[in-house]
Amino acid sequence: GTDMADTDATTKENIKDKLIARRKKVIDNAGDVNFAIVSTAVFEAYLQYTGTDYTPVMNEEVLGARNANFLGLPIIEANILNQSSAKYYDHTGTLKTVDLTKVDIIMGYYEGFSALNNFETMRIKDSERFSGSLAQVETNAAYRVTNADLIVVKKNAGA
Protein backbone atom coordinates (compact mmCIF):
# COMPACT_ATOMS: atom_id res chain seq x y z
CA GLY A 1 0.00 0.00 0.00
CA THR A 2 0.89 3.66 0.11
CA ASP A 3 2.84 4.75 3.18
CA MET A 4 1.47 8.12 4.27
CA ALA A 5 4.76 9.00 6.02
CA ASP A 6 3.07 9.79 9.33
CA THR A 7 4.73 8.17 12.33
CA ASP A 8 3.11 10.35 15.02
CA ALA A 9 1.42 8.37 17.77
CA THR A 10 -2.30 7.71 17.33
CA THR A 11 -4.08 8.86 20.49
CA LYS A 12 -7.66 9.41 21.60
CA GLU A 13 -7.13 13.10 20.84
CA ASN A 14 -6.12 12.62 17.19
CA ILE A 15 -7.59 9.29 16.08
CA LYS A 16 -10.52 10.87 14.27
CA ASP A 17 -8.19 13.14 12.27
CA LYS A 18 -5.85 10.23 11.45
CA LEU A 19 -8.69 8.09 10.10
CA ILE A 20 -10.29 10.94 8.13
CA ALA A 21 -6.94 11.85 6.50
CA ARG A 22 -6.42 8.26 5.33
CA ARG A 23 -10.01 8.00 4.13
CA LYS A 24 -9.56 11.20 2.09
CA LYS A 25 -6.38 9.84 0.48
CA VAL A 26 -8.18 6.72 -0.78
CA ILE A 27 -11.29 8.67 -1.89
CA ASP A 28 -9.10 11.15 -3.80
CA ASN A 29 -7.61 8.15 -5.67
CA ALA A 30 -11.11 7.09 -6.82
CA GLY A 31 -11.58 4.42 -4.15
CA ASP A 32 -14.40 3.85 -1.72
CA VAL A 33 -13.00 3.14 1.73
CA ASN A 34 -14.62 0.04 3.18
CA PHE A 35 -12.21 -1.23 5.86
CA ALA A 36 -9.68 -0.10 8.43
CA ILE A 37 -7.49 -2.72 10.09
CA VAL A 38 -5.90 -1.30 13.24
CA SER A 39 -3.44 -2.40 15.89
CA THR A 40 -4.60 -3.09 19.42
CA ALA A 41 -3.05 0.23 20.55
CA VAL A 42 -5.01 2.17 17.93
CA PHE A 43 -8.22 0.30 18.81
CA GLU A 44 -7.62 1.24 22.45
CA ALA A 45 -7.31 4.91 21.42
CA TYR A 46 -10.53 4.52 19.44
CA LEU A 47 -12.34 3.09 22.48
CA GLN A 48 -11.01 5.90 24.67
CA TYR A 49 -12.19 8.48 22.12
CA THR A 50 -15.67 7.02 21.67
CA GLY A 51 -16.25 6.12 25.31
CA THR A 52 -19.87 5.10 25.76
CA ASP A 53 -20.57 5.79 22.06
CA TYR A 54 -18.80 2.53 21.10
CA THR A 55 -21.09 0.39 18.94
CA PRO A 56 -19.92 -3.20 18.40
CA VAL A 57 -20.81 -4.95 15.16
CA MET A 58 -23.34 -7.74 15.71
CA ASN A 59 -21.21 -10.63 14.50
CA GLU A 60 -17.90 -9.70 16.09
CA GLU A 61 -17.67 -13.11 17.77
CA VAL A 62 -17.92 -14.81 14.38
CA LEU A 63 -15.14 -12.68 12.92
CA GLY A 64 -12.80 -13.55 15.77
CA ALA A 65 -11.79 -9.93 16.33
CA ARG A 66 -13.10 -6.79 17.93
CA ASN A 67 -14.60 -4.49 15.38
CA ALA A 68 -16.94 -1.54 15.23
CA ASN A 69 -18.31 1.12 12.93
CA PHE A 70 -16.90 4.63 13.18
CA LEU A 71 -17.71 7.44 10.76
CA GLY A 72 -19.41 4.82 8.58
CA LEU A 73 -16.18 2.81 8.40
CA PRO A 74 -15.67 -0.74 9.72
CA ILE A 75 -12.79 -0.67 12.23
CA ILE A 76 -11.22 -4.11 12.75
CA GLU A 77 -8.82 -4.74 15.63
CA ALA A 78 -6.02 -7.06 14.50
CA ASN A 79 -3.73 -8.46 17.17
CA ILE A 80 -1.55 -9.89 14.39
CA LEU A 81 -0.11 -6.36 14.21
CA ASN A 82 1.56 -7.17 17.56
CA GLN A 83 3.84 -9.77 15.90
CA SER A 84 7.44 -8.75 15.44
CA SER A 85 8.32 -11.62 13.10
CA ALA A 86 5.36 -12.50 10.86
CA LYS A 87 6.20 -14.72 7.89
CA TYR A 88 4.64 -14.83 4.44
CA TYR A 89 5.54 -15.81 0.89
CA ASP A 90 5.73 -12.96 -1.62
CA HIS A 91 4.57 -13.23 -5.24
CA THR A 92 7.91 -14.76 -6.29
CA GLY A 93 7.62 -17.55 -3.71
CA THR A 94 10.30 -16.09 -1.43
CA LEU A 95 9.70 -16.45 2.31
CA LYS A 96 9.67 -13.00 3.95
CA THR A 97 9.72 -12.01 7.60
CA VAL A 98 8.31 -8.63 8.59
CA ASP A 99 7.86 -6.68 11.80
CA LEU A 100 4.15 -5.90 11.97
CA THR A 101 4.53 -3.96 15.23
CA LYS A 102 5.53 -1.00 13.06
CA VAL A 103 2.04 -0.84 11.47
CA ASP A 104 -0.79 1.09 13.15
CA ILE A 105 -3.47 1.32 10.45
CA ILE A 106 -4.16 -0.33 7.10
CA MET A 107 -7.10 1.31 5.39
CA GLY A 108 -8.52 1.03 1.94
CA TYR A 109 -10.89 -0.22 -0.69
CA TYR A 110 -11.14 -3.94 -1.35
CA GLU A 111 -10.59 -3.44 -5.08
CA GLY A 112 -6.98 -2.51 -4.26
CA PHE A 113 -6.38 -6.23 -3.58
CA SER A 114 -6.39 -9.26 -5.84
CA ALA A 115 -7.34 -12.65 -4.46
CA LEU A 116 -5.37 -15.52 -5.96
CA ASN A 117 -6.38 -19.16 -5.63
CA ASN A 118 -4.31 -22.17 -6.57
CA PHE A 119 -5.93 -25.60 -6.43
CA GLU A 120 -3.27 -28.12 -5.51
CA THR A 121 -5.21 -31.37 -5.58
CA MET A 122 -8.76 -32.58 -5.78
CA ARG A 123 -10.16 -36.08 -5.45
CA ILE A 124 -13.35 -38.02 -4.85
CA LYS A 125 -13.16 -41.06 -2.58
CA ASP A 126 -15.58 -43.48 -0.98
CA SER A 127 -16.57 -42.49 2.53
CA GLU A 128 -15.85 -44.77 5.46
CA ARG A 129 -18.51 -43.05 7.60
CA PHE A 130 -21.58 -43.07 5.36
CA SER A 131 -22.91 -44.41 2.10
CA GLY A 132 -21.55 -42.04 -0.51
CA SER A 133 -18.43 -40.17 -1.55
CA LEU A 134 -16.22 -37.48 -0.09
CA ALA A 135 -14.77 -34.63 -2.12
CA GLN A 136 -11.35 -33.58 -0.85
CA VAL A 137 -9.70 -30.40 -2.07
CA GLU A 138 -6.40 -28.80 -1.11
CA THR A 139 -6.03 -25.18 -2.09
CA ASN A 140 -3.75 -22.25 -1.45
CA ALA A 141 -5.12 -18.72 -1.34
CA ALA A 142 -3.28 -15.43 -1.32
CA TYR A 143 -3.93 -11.71 -1.45
CA ARG A 144 -1.80 -9.12 -3.10
CA VAL A 145 -2.03 -5.34 -3.27
CA THR A 146 -2.47 -4.61 -6.96
CA ASN A 147 -3.40 -0.92 -6.65
CA ALA A 148 -1.35 0.79 -3.93
CA ASP A 149 -3.35 4.01 -4.38
CA LEU A 150 -6.37 2.28 -2.87
CA ILE A 151 -4.58 0.91 0.22
CA VAL A 152 -2.97 3.31 2.71
CA VAL A 153 -0.74 2.41 5.63
CA LYS A 154 0.10 4.37 8.76
CA LYS A 155 3.22 3.25 10.55
CA ASN A 156 4.40 4.27 14.01
CA ALA A 157 7.66 5.77 15.33
CA GLY A 158 9.24 2.29 15.50
CA ALA A 159 9.15 2.05 11.70
Side-chain angles (χ1 to χ4, degrees), residues 27-133:
I27 297 293
D28 287 349
N29 288 323
D32 180 20
V33 177
N34 54 13
F35 71 88
I37 300 169
V38 302
S39 68
T40 56
V42 171
F43 199 78
E44 179 183 13
Y46 160 75
L47 291 175
Q48 290 170 344
Y49 173 80
T50 59
T52 59
D53 293 334
Y54 168 67
T55 306
V57 175
M58 287 180 54
N59 290 327
E60 65 186 23
E61 292 83 13
V62 174
L63 296 174
R66 295 295 245 162
N67 55 79
N69 285 315
F70 184 55
L71 305 170
L73 176 68
I75 309 289
I76 303 164
E77 180 181 33
N79 63 2
I80 193 170
L81 297 180
N82 294 336
Q83 290 189 10
S84 60
S85 59
K87 297 179 186 297
Y88 73 98
Y89 289 95
D90 70 7
H91 67 284
T92 66
T94 304
L95 180 63
K96 302 279 187 170
T97 302
V98 294
D99 183 356
L100 294 177
T101 63
K102 298 175 180 181
V103 178
D104 280 347
I105 301 169
I106 302 167
M107 181 186 289
Y109 183 40
Y110 72 91
E111 288 189 5
F113 290 108
S114 289
L116 310 168
N117 293 306
N118 177 23
F119 287 102
E120 294 289 324
T121 63
M122 183 172 172
R123 72 178 182 167
I124 304 291
K125 66 175 243 161
D126 290 336
S127 174
E128 302 84 18
R129 299 185 309 261
F130 59 88
S131 179
S133 300

Side-chain angles (χ1 to χ4, degrees), residues 7-32:
T7 58
D8 295 340
T10 303
T11 65
K12 68 179 180 179
E13 290 80 22
N14 68 12
I15 188 167
K16 185 175 180 180
D17 294 334
K18 299 275 184 195
L19 293 174
I20 289 173
R22 273 135 199 88
R23 180 188 176 283
K24 181 182 182 319
K25 178 78 170 171
V26 174
I27 297 293
D28 287 349
N29 288 323
D32 180 20

Side-chain angles (χ1 to χ4, degrees), residues 134-149:
L134 293 171
Q136 296 178 324
V137 179
E138 182 179 326
T139 183
N140 295 318
Y143 295 90
R144 183 171 182 198
V145 174
T146 51
N147 187 342
D149 291 338

